[in-house]
Amino acid sequence: MTAAPDTELIRKALRKVVDPEVGANIVDLGLIYRIEIDAPQLLIEMTMTSPACPMGEMIIDDAYSELDRILPEDWQPEIRLVWEPPWTPAMMSEKCRLSLGWEPEPTP
């Protein structure tokens, strides 16, 4: 890839990364908190469903692999694992909540 990616392309790539314990991709799970592009730097802040997630390292490695597929060679991606705010099921996309059998969020 030679053109600079935008946030939608980054999200599309990260949707290929699945949390194997949950069976859903990390974008729809709501694990991606921030994508900041300042070419050739890319910063992604993400979390896990739990600080004790045994698959965290594998998920981050998979995310780097997907980013390597779409980023220009000279780009430097950085993935930061953050814990604030803590992840909750409310952060999932509606489609993801429904596919996992979670009740839809009540409307006020």
Side-chain angles (χ1 to χ4, degrees):
M1 162 157 258
T2 56
D6 60 15
T7 56
E8 280 311 305
L9 184 62
I10 301 296
R11 286 184 191 285
K12 183 177 179 181
L14 294 175
R15 277 191 174 91
K16 296 178 183 174
V17 179
V18 173
D19 181 328
E21 290 188 312
V22 181
N25 75 71
I26 62 175
V27 173
D28 292 334
L29 274 173
L31 300 182
I32 304 300
Y33 285 177
R34 177 176 164 205
I35 297 173
E36 183 178 305
I37 300 171
D38 185 17
Q41 303 293 320
L42 169 64
L43 171 64
I44 295 172
E45 289 184 350
M46 67 176 290
T47 195
M48 297 292 153
T49 56
S50 159
C53 177
M55 306 308 281
E57 193 171 312
M58 185 196 84
I59 292 169
I60 290 172
D61 288 345
D62 288 352
Y64 274 117
S65 293
E66 290 302 328
L67 293 171
D68 284 345
R69 294 179 205 272
I70 64 159
L71 293 176
E73 256 183 54
D74 61 333
W75 277 49
Q76 303 297 317
E78 177 186 356
I79 298 174
R80 287 186 195 156
L81 195 57
V82 297
W83 301 108
E84 292 296 325
W87 180 87
T88 67
M91 294 174 168
M92 290 188 281
S93 69
E94 182 179 355
K95 179 181 175 184
C96 187
R97 279 194 304 272
L98 293 174
S99 73
L100 294 175
W102 291 80
E103 291 296 318
E105 289 296 305
T107 53

